[in-house]
């Protein structure tokens, strides 16, 4: 070996240097041969590496980090089964438009087709599901990684994939490894004619509405959207992860009158949201038959989809288009006493009064509303919502749906949930990503006026928690003081027993193969989820009453270790399975 060969860096080091040159500060992953060398080189360069217990969770975390920071989150996994597990994150990235750079190892190039260790043709497998997939040579490592990073970020965000053979990781490139910074993508606006058409339509509308989606949150466009709403007086409706782009407490927020807002609107400006199931496809019966739906989206393919108005839609950047519209609407102020506004105010008052009434119902075992009201009141006393120092992560059918309207969000990117795919299992990965984005030195996450650290609060259904609960150990290992509430009803949607003896009889029938045993939705009876924290050096609480829950919430908020509060609630065994988006008149 020549002296020149000895001093040349390995492919692993070149990969780490390429990530550093791109400004990457955090990598989420799970290592093994051969990618462990990449992780160690990255750590040596000062890049944080967060090692997970499962590739699904780390890929979810990388997508969430991309959403919170506005730049691709980076995920590193082994080849073969590691790639298969990380496909969950690819799907999450694609469906939610969260940017991710996925790096995966693979077998030596000369062993392809021979049945090598963890051999998988990942390029062919992933190409239909990612924005770009490539496999570099030794001398094109930096170029390939930069290309994938840029493609993941520019346009509609998604995943850029780089397949890294062992001989590329372990070899020594001959060429230069110097990369370059990728600037933010160019921002597109709309023509003056199109802006004029839309402004005229909004001015003439009897019932205008602005819908704010998670795309607006990702674009960090909260300031310009607030300017539009404040200056025009047009009411707005946030989607579940669009909450906080404008404060929940804003007087023009129609969240608690959602059904009335949708049904009564005649002209709707949709900012960074898609007309999918969450918005009822833009059609009847949730929307009026002749509503004009004007979409502003970074992706041209979304314009005109379902019931959108293709002639008026804009394929452009919200941060350019919204100021154009605000200027075109200069001097316009929507009538705050219009019939539409009066209908919205009446609906809000009625629904909010009903919600307050339900929250005061005391049960034993507790119900969902009692649980969330207790947690909300306690957290608000410890850290008022307007301070913006709590990040909520929520998953689980009932847990996510009911809690969404209970916990106020006054600043953007402080609430994440199961998203467009309603994916269970994202919660703990998202929580780790949020902790990294907001609480590490020189945090990349941006939200609200406060620069202090954020408390990450997870609201988990017991079924959802089960998907990724080993990541509590990851939190403990990295000193992440995440507060996790597991709302435990002993089942998916509902449990099937109100008493332990009843559950044991069902279990016995199931074991004997008899009819009338445990249902497909059944989970274990009062599983001691709090032990998951205790076994990792965290704190666990088992609570059954509001008083116990309030005490555990306060202690958990101040703890400097992961905390799991196992909240036993009524099983709901007698209730019919139903889903919020299918209910008649659901506020959602």
């Amino acid at each position: 070996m020549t002296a020149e060969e000895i001093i040349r860096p390995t492919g692993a080091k070149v990969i780490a240097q390429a990530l550093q040159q791109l400004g990457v500060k955090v990598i989420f992953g799970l290592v093994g041969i051969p990618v462990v060398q990449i992780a160690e080189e990255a750590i040596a360069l000062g890049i944080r590496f967060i090692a997970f217990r499962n590739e699904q969770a780390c890929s979810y975390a990388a997508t969430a980090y991309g959403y919170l920071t506005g730049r691709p989150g980076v995920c590193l996994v082994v080849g073969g089964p590691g790639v298969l597990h990380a496909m969950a994150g690819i799907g999450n990235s694609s469906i939610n438009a969260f940017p991710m750079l996925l790096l995966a190892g693979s077998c030596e190039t000369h062993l392809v087709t021979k049945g090598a260790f963890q051999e998988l043709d990942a390029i062919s497998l992933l190409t239909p599901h990612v924005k770009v997939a490539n496999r570099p040579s030794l001398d094109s490592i930096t170029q390939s990684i930069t290309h994938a990073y840029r493609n993941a970020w520019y346009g509609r965000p998604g995943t850029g994939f780089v397949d890294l053979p062992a001989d590329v990781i372990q070899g020594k490139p001959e060429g230069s490894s110097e990369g370059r910074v990728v600037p933010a993508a160019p921002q597109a606006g709309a023509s003056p004619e199109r802006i004029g058409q839309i402004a005229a339509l909004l001015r003439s509308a009897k019932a205008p509405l602005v819908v704010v989606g998670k795309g607006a949150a990702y674009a960090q466009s909260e300031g310009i959207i607030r300017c539009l709403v404040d200056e025009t007086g047009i009411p707005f409706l946030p989607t579940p992860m669009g909450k906080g782009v404008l404060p929940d407490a804003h007087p023009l927020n129609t969240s608690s009158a959602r059904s009335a807002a949708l049904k009564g609107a005649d002209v709707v400006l949709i900012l960074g949201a898609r007309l999918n199931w969450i918005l009822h496809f833009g059609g009847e019966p949730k929307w009026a038959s002749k509503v004009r739906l004007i979409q502003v989206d970074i992706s041209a393919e979304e314009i005109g989809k379902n019931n959108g108005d293709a002639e008026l839609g804009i394929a452009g950047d919200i941060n350019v288009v919204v100021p154009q519209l605000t200027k075109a609407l200069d001097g316009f102020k929507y009538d705050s006493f219009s019939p539409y506004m009066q209908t919205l105010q009446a609906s809000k008052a009625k629904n909010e009064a009903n919600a307050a009434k339900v929250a005061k119902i005391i049960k034993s075992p507790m119900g969902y509303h009692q649980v969330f009201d207790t947690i909300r009141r306690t957290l608000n006393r410890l850290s008022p919502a307007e301070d913006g120092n709590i990040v909520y992560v929520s998953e689980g059918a009932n847990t996510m749906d009911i809690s969404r309207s209970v916990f106020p969000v006054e600043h953007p990117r402080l609430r994440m949930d199961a998203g467009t795919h309603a994916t269970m299992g994202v919660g703990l990965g998202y929580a780790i990503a949020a902790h990294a984005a907001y609480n590490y030195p020189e945090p990349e996450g941006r939200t609200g006026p406060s620069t202090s650290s954020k408390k990450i609060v997870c609201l988990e259904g017991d079924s959802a928690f089960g998907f990724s609960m080993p990541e509590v150990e990851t939190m403990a290992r990295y000193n992440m003081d995440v507060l996790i509430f597991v709302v435990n009803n002993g089942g998916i949607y509902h449990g099937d027993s109100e008493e332990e003896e009843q559950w044991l009889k069902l279990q016995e029938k199931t074991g004997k193969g008899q009819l009338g045993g445990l249902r497909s939705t059944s989970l274990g009876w009062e599983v001691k989820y709090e032990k998951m924290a205790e076994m990792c050096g965290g704190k666990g609480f088992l609570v059954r009453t509001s008083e116990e829950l309030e005490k555990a919430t306060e202690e958990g908020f101040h703890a400097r270790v992961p905390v799991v509060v196992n909240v036993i609630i009524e099983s709901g065994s007698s209730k019919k399975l139903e889903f919020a988006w299918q209910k008649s008149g659901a506020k959602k």
Side-chain angles (χ1 to χ4, degrees):
M1 183 177 292
T2 66
E4 182 183 356
E5 289 175 319
I6 293 173
I7 63 172
R8 286 206 310 261
T10 63
K13 186 168 186 176
V14 173
I15 293 164
Q17 289 172 337
L19 295 174
Q20 183 185 49
Q21 289 158 0
L22 287 167
V24 173
K25 295 182 179 181
V26 181
I27 299 173
F28 305 90
L30 202 168
V31 299
I33 296 172
V35 299
V36 62
Q37 295 169 260
I38 300 171
E40 292 302 317
E41 292 287 2
I43 292 170
L45 291 175
I47 299 174
R48 290 179 181 266
F49 184 83
I50 301 177
F52 281 68
R53 305 305 296 263
N54 181 279
E55 290 94 349
Q56 282 189 353
C58 70
S59 66
Y60 289 146
T63 65
Y65 197 80
Y67 166 73
L68 293 171
T69 64
R71 299 178 68 94
V74 179
C75 182
L76 176 66
V77 299
V78 298
V83 170
L84 295 174
H85 293 167
M87 285 185 74
I90 293 173
N92 199 59
S93 165
S94 176
I95 197 68
N96 290 295
F98 295 167
M100 176 174 69
L101 173 64
L102 176 62
L103 308 178
S106 62
C107 68
E108 294 87 341
T109 307
H110 70 280
L111 294 178
V112 172
T113 75
K114 293 186 176 182
F117 176 69
Q118 295 187 336
E119 180 181 349
L120 175 71
D121 183 0
I123 296 291
S124 297
L125 176 68
L126 299 183
T127 294
H129 308 288
V130 299
K131 293 188 69 177
V132 64
N134 64 55
R135 180 184 296 116
S137 65
L138 260 175
D139 294 318
S140 66
I141 292 172
T142 301
Q143 176 187 346
S144 294
I145 290 175
T146 302
H147 178 68
Y149 183 93
R150 185 181 63 250
N151 273 270
W153 190 18
Y154 282 21
R156 185 180 187 275
T159 297
F161 172 67
V162 183
D163 183 73
L164 298 166
D167 47 319
V168 170
I169 294 171
Q170 297 163 354
K172 294 191 173 183
E174 294 183 5
S176 171
S177 63
E178 187 173 346
R180 59 188 175 86
V181 174
V182 176
Q187 297 176 314
S191 68
E193 292 77 15
R194 181 61 57 89
I195 291 294
Q197 285 179 298
I198 296 171
L201 198 58
L202 287 169
R203 286 175 181 272
S204 64
K206 294 181 178 180
L209 179 69
V210 175
V211 172
V212 182
K214 67 174 177 284
Y218 169 76
Q220 301 182 12
S221 57
E222 49 271 13
I224 59 172
I225 294 178
R226 179 151 194 174
C227 182
L228 171 69
V229 169
D230 286 347
E231 289 192 15
T232 64
I234 298 175
F236 71 92
L237 174 71
T239 64
M241 282 182 61
K243 282 168 64 72
V245 172
L246 282 83
D248 276 353
H250 195 290
L252 293 174
N253 181 12
T254 67
S255 291
S256 56
R258 187 180 193 273
S259 294
L262 296 181
K263 188 66 174 178
D266 61 356
V267 178
V268 182
L269 180 65
I270 303 174
L271 303 176
R274 283 167 284 170
L275 292 172
N276 54 22
W277 65 274
I278 295 175
L279 288 176
H280 314 289
F281 314 105
E284 296 182 279
K286 297 293 185 179
W287 296 85
S289 60
K290 296 182 179 180
V291 64
R292 302 292 297 274
L293 300 174
I294 305 168
Q295 299 158 283
V296 179
D297 200 285
I298 198 70
S299 174
E301 291 84 354
E302 288 297 324
I303 306 302
K305 191 173 182 180
N306 291 328
N307 202 32
D309 193 325
E311 294 183 357
L312 288 175
I314 297 175
D317 193 298
I318 292 172
N319 289 306
V320 177
V321 175
V322 171
Q324 288 181 295
L325 283 171
T326 304
K327 184 177 180 180
L329 289 166
D330 184 40
F332 167 70
K333 195 76 172 182
Y334 179 58
D335 181 6
S336 60
F337 296 99
S338 70
Y340 182 54
M341 291 297 289
Q342 291 181 34
T343 298
L344 293 179
Q345 293 301 329
S347 181
K348 285 173 65 174
K350 178 182 176 182
N351 290 334
E352 289 171 5
N354 287 339
K357 183 178 180 181
V358 171
K360 296 184 184 301
I361 297 174
I362 306 300
K363 298 180 181 179
S364 182
M366 293 185 288
Y368 283 102
H369 293 88
Q370 180 181 348
V371 166
F372 295 141
D373 184 65
T374 300
I375 297 172
R376 178 193 59 79
R377 285 187 289 101
T378 307
L379 290 179
N380 195 55
R381 173 168 52 81
L382 299 170
S383 180
E386 56 267 25
D387 292 348
N389 290 327
I390 297 179
V391 181
Y392 292 101
V393 179
S394 180
E395 63 174 338
N398 295 315
T399 298
M400 180 175 67
D401 186 62
I402 297 171
S403 68
R404 178 168 54 244
S405 59
V406 173
F407 294 89
V409 182
E410 302 301 314
H411 303 285
R413 297 171 296 283
L414 290 181
R415 183 187 181 278
M416 293 186 288
D417 64 21
T420 306
H421 258 172
T423 306
M424 297 301 112
V426 298
L428 300 197
Y430 278 18
I432 291 170
H435 189 280
Y438 291 128
N439 294 333
Y440 278 168
E442 299 180 2
E444 294 188 276
R446 294 288 181 267
T447 184
S450 173
T451 57
S452 60
S453 61
K454 313 294 183 191
K455 188 70 176 184
I456 316 301
V457 175
C458 284
L459 303 167
E460 299 274 318
D462 49 348
S463 172
F465 182 63
F467 281 82
S468 58
M469 61 182 172
E471 304 308 336
V472 173
E473 189 277 325
T474 304
M475 296 173 179
R477 197 176 348 120
Y478 292 104
N479 295 315
M480 296 181 175
D481 55 348
V482 179
L483 174 56
I484 303 167
F485 294 93
V486 181
V487 184
N488 186 353
N489 66 357
I492 301 171
Y493 308 116
H494 304 302
D496 58 9
S497 308
E498 297 298 337
E499 297 178 354
E500 183 176 15
E501 184 178 350
Q502 180 187 4
W503 188 91
L504 289 171
K505 288 180 179 178
L506 296 175
Q507 182 190 46
E508 183 179 2
K509 285 185 177 182
T510 301
K512 292 179 178 179
Q514 298 175 352
L515 295 176
L518 295 171
R519 298 186 297 183
S520 62
T521 56
S522 300
L523 296 174
W525 175 260
E526 294 192 357
V527 176
K528 302 299 186 287
Y529 295 111
E530 74 279 6
K531 301 296 183 184
M532 192 70 216
E534 294 174 359
M535 65 186 281
C536 301
K539 290 186 176 181
F541 298 88
L542 176 67
V543 304
R544 299 178 185 276
T545 66
S546 294
E547 293 74 21
E548 292 173 344
L549 178 56
E550 182 175 352
K551 181 179 179 182
T553 300
E554 184 160 359
E555 289 188 32
F557 184 86
H558 292 300
R560 290 294 168 258
V561 293
V563 173
V564 174
V565 181
N566 187 6
V567 187
I568 304 299
I569 68 167
E570 59 183 347
S571 74
S573 58
S574 61
K575 295 181 179 179
K576 179 183 177 182
L577 291 182
E578 58 181 355
F579 309 98
W581 65 89
Q582 296 174 331
K583 295 177 183 177
S584 175
K587 295 196 300 294
K588 202 167 172 200

